[in-house]
Structure formats: structure tokens, C-alpha cells
Amino acid sequence: MAEPEFSARGVRIARWPRSLTRAGEVRIEDGRLALLTSYGSEIDSAPVSAVRAGRPWFAKADETVATVNGTRYRLTLHDDGDRGRGETETSGRFLAALKRAAGRS
């Protein structure tokens, strides 16, 4: 099995107004985005071409909003080394990997 194009653990995944997991995983692999719980169960997944993601003006620096299968999720992507910086490297890497996987420039 190939290495995932992007993988982040310890991600807080929320669907307004409640949190689904505080230690989940976001993975982009084989052209699909998967949101997983800390136990590896799938919350939602979709082809990357059908996923919309971005960082709205009201979001914190380590947060992104992703629409997967018509459901909006707030993803808090942070690494321990990212705390205290303006824009986290993890959330930026996630958005860049999503664009790359979808073939958008």
C-alpha cells in the first residue's frame, strides 16, 4: 500500500454544533479524503475532487472548514511544534495536498 499524500493525527473534527472527536485523523490517499476517529473508524470520506476546503476569515490559524458529501466539518489541525505561530504549517500543508490531489493549481 502506498504512502498517504497527507496524514495528520490528533485532529479535532467538529460538525456544528458538536465535536465528533478530539484526536481524529485526516488522510488523503488514493484520491480520497477520509476523516477518521481516533479508533480508525470512518466518519466520512469522499473523492478529493468533490471536497471543498478553505480557511474562512473567522477561523483560527490552525482551523480549516471542509465540506465533504454536503456536510461541513471544522478541522483543527495542529502540531505541538506549531503552537504560537500565526498560520500553522499543518493546515497549510493540508490545503496544498488537497489541491494537488484534486489536480487544481
Side-chain angles (χ1 to χ4, degrees), residues 57-103:
W57 64 270
F58 57 84
K60 295 178 184 172
D62 60 352
E63 291 179 346
T64 61
V65 175
T67 304
V68 181
N69 294 326
T71 305
R72 288 177 38 169
Y73 296 96
R74 183 175 32 180
L75 309 174
T76 305
L77 300 141
H78 56 98
D79 286 338
D80 291 333
D82 286 339
R83 295 184 192 272
R85 295 183 188 166
E87 176 180 323
T88 64
E89 293 177 14
T90 307
S91 61
R93 284 188 307 117
F94 166 69
L95 293 172
L98 191 62
K99 284 183 181 181
R100 259 193 325 274

Side-chain angles (χ1 to χ4, degrees), residues 6 8 12 25 29 32 38 42 46 53 60 64 77 79 94:
F6 177 84
R12 180 174 186 253
E25 182 177 1
E29 187 173 25
R32 291 189 67 81
S38 56
E42 185 176 288
K60 295 178 184 172
T64 61
L77 300 141
D79 286 338
F94 166 69

Side-chain angles (χ1 to χ4, degrees), residues 2-68:
E3 183 80 17
E5 297 161 39
F6 177 84
S7 180
R9 293 177 183 243
V11 177
R12 180 174 186 253
I13 302 172
R15 183 173 55 207
W16 286 280
R18 67 185 190 101
S19 176
L20 300 175
T21 182
R22 291 186 293 159
E25 182 177 1
V26 175
R27 180 180 287 186
I28 300 173
E29 187 173 25
D30 297 329
R32 291 189 67 81
L33 170 72
L35 304 176
L36 307 169
T37 66
S38 56
Y39 297 107
S41 300
E42 185 176 288
I43 296 170
D44 207 347
S45 72
V48 291
S49 59
V51 174
R52 292 183 319 169
R55 188 176 300 117
W57 64 270
F58 57 84
K60 295 178 184 172
D62 60 352
E63 291 179 346
T64 61
V65 175
T67 304
V68 181

